[in-house]
Amino acid sequence: MPASLPGPTVGVVGGGQLGRMLGEAAAPLGIELVVLDPTPDAPAAQVATDQLVADFDDADAIRDLAERSDFLTFEIELADQESLDEVSDATGVPCHPDPATLSLIHDKLHQKEALADAGVPVPPFRRVDDADELRAALHELGTPAMLKARTGGYDGRGNVPVESVDDAADAMDAVGGPAMVEAFVDYEREISVVAAQGDGEVSVFPVGENIHEAEILREMVVPSRSSDAVLAAAEQVGRDVLELLDGRGVYAIELFETTDGRILVNEIAPRPHNSGHWSIEGALTSQFEQHLRAVVGWPLGATDLRAPTVTKNVLADGDDSRPARVGGVSEVLATPGANLHWYGKREARPLRKMGHVTQVATGDESREELLASARSLVDGLGFD
């Protein structure tokens, strides 16, 4: 679509923090954003043109969304592939990425099988439908291993470490359904490639380093503290993965960098991703602007790194749910190179992602110094 102003309207299935940041990126481009989300006054509704309150699989609501839009996209994998497919065909409103990509992503076993069949490096894995099959797989793959629910898991949900064969029955009960098991990866670090497919072009952001705790992504360091050879290999694997995915948009490819310098694909997200939040301040074009450019068929932006950048997520603390109120913000705002992003969620639940702080180098600060600063700033934030 040739770029002109005012821009088109993009309908987004999902109105969480990713939809919110898409809305923040849409306004300067002259693009209007309408989101669909079951939560009234969802985070994205505070910055988008409008919100339709409906479930992610409500075909009638998705049709209403399409009728108000020139393009459709999604910011959550819970978007219903069949409804998007049917509505897009019936209305002629294109959906990017292609809804078929969701079919590949929804089932982690199918995702790994497709990658392996294409020659993309992945950890050894096996399908397991019951405890006996898991025991047999563990004898082959060894322990410890990681058992993953095939569908529905995110932010570590649905992932169960298995320390020994004796734990097989309890692990399958914890997953609660069809699963796959992966061999333990002796990795140096977890990294990710955020990349975009546009109208005949591909762009790749600098490789980021992801720091997890309890299966939740807590911090991102860009560029990753990897060797140049590893960074080049990671980018190439990211490009190879993109060849398997249909439709325009941003994709996040989560990777393991092994202790011997190999790259293995962990998981794929067909949307902007937490590991790319650093790009809002740290890259010439953010992942959110890039996603919108790609979806509507406009030229992609430059992804060069402005300066070394780190991001730390702000997670709700405590053991209970309560209204979301945070103090200690002044120190973040007063720190050169620090940037605060608040997601507008009304309720703080334990370990819920409420925002993030990004620290961009303003001089010759090392990535370790930037990370220490971001940690200190987030530690200074307090939930009332």
Side-chain angles (χ1 to χ4, degrees):
M1 176 180 182
S4 62
L5 296 175
T9 297
V10 175
V12 183
V13 177
Q17 64 259 27
L18 297 177
R20 181 185 182 95
M21 287 180 271
L22 282 170
E24 292 166 350
L29 296 173
I31 292 174
E32 292 198 1
L33 212 72
V34 179
V35 301
L36 182 153
D37 196 282
T39 302
D41 193 27
Q46 300 160 36
V47 299
T49 302
D50 198 7
Q51 177 188 354
L52 304 182
V53 179
D55 290 334
F56 300 127
D57 60 353
D58 186 329
D60 291 337
I62 293 174
R63 178 181 287 272
D64 291 342
L65 182 68
E67 290 175 348
R68 296 186 55 178
S69 307
D70 299 296
F71 297 89
L72 291 173
T73 189
F74 45 87
E75 58 102 294
I76 188 167
E77 280 92 327
L78 295 176
D80 186 69
Q81 175 211 340
E82 291 185 4
S83 296
L84 282 169
D85 236 344
E86 292 172 1
V87 167
S88 180
D89 288 344
T91 62
V93 176
C95 181
H96 291 282
D98 192 301
T101 301
L102 283 170
S103 178
L104 174 66
I105 300 301
H106 275 158
D107 189 317
K108 292 180 180 179
L109 175 64
H110 291 167
Q111 183 184 143
K112 280 284 164 56
E113 289 174 337
L115 291 167
D117 290 345
V120 175
V122 296
F125 66 95
R126 298 290 183 271
R127 170 179 176 163
V128 290
D129 292 327
D130 56 40
D132 287 338
E133 289 186 359
L134 176 55
R135 292 186 189 98
L138 292 173
H139 282 302
E140 184 179 356
L141 299 176
T143 54
M146 181 64 75
L147 184 68
K148 295 182 175 182
R150 286 174 55 179
T151 60
Y154 66 97
D155 278 351
R157 296 171 179 84
N159 292 353
V160 179
V162 186
E163 298 297 332
S164 74
V165 174
D166 294 338
D167 297 331
D170 288 342
M172 288 300 300
D173 287 343
V175 168
M180 58 170 279
V181 62
E182 285 185 347
F184 175 76
V185 176
D186 188 14
Y187 61 87
E188 180 71 22
R189 58 179 57 86
E190 294 178 85
I191 59 179
S192 62
V193 171
V194 176
Q197 289 195 130
D199 191 3
E201 57 178 328
V202 169
S203 70
V204 180
F205 288 86
V207 178
E209 176 180 346
N210 305 330
I211 300 172
H212 291 79
E213 181 183 332
E215 301 293 327
I216 298 176
L217 181 58
R218 307 296 180 108
E219 300 162 342
M220 292 73 74
V221 180
V222 186
S224 173
R225 292 171 290 186
S226 307
S227 69
D228 290 344
V230 165
L231 295 176
E235 178 177 333
Q236 185 56 57
V237 168
R239 290 180 179 273
D240 292 343
V241 170
L242 282 189
E243 293 184 5
L244 303 177
L245 306 175
D246 294 326
R248 304 192 300 264
V250 160
Y251 301 83
I253 301 108
E254 298 179 85
L255 308 165
F256 294 117
E257 175 191 338
T258 68
T259 53
D260 58 358
R262 294 179 297 124
I263 298 297
L264 302 175
V265 175
N266 181 18
E267 294 181 3
I268 305 165
R271 53 168 173 78
H273 188 262
N274 198 166
S275 64
H277 289 356
W278 66 270
S279 63
I280 298 173
E281 287 85 22
L284 293 180
T285 306
S286 78
Q287 66 166 343
F288 300 101
E289 178 180 341
Q290 196 78 310
H291 186 71
L292 292 167
R293 286 176 179 238
V295 165
V296 305
W298 287 0
L300 299 181
T303 55
D304 305 68
L305 184 70
R306 294 180 186 272
T309 304
V310 304
T311 293
K312 183 169 180 63
N313 286 325
V314 176
L315 305 181
D317 57 14
D319 299 321
D320 56 359
S321 298
R322 57 204 187 280
R325 290 183 57 84
V326 170
V329 172
S330 295
E331 185 175 355
V332 180
L333 300 179
T335 300
N339 301 271
L340 175 65
H341 292 264
W342 180 247
Y343 297 158
K345 297 177 180 179
R346 307 301 188 189
E347 183 181 25
R349 300 195 293 265
L351 298 182
R352 190 182 196 190
K353 292 176 182 173
M354 305 300 294
H356 68 265
V357 170
T358 297
Q359 181 80 58
V360 181
T362 58
D364 58 359
E365 303 100 309
S366 68
R367 283 164 287 186
E368 288 73 23
E369 290 171 328
L370 295 172
L371 191 55
S373 175
R375 287 171 174 170
S376 177
L377 291 172
V378 172
D379 286 346
L381 297 175
F383 285 85
D384 296 342

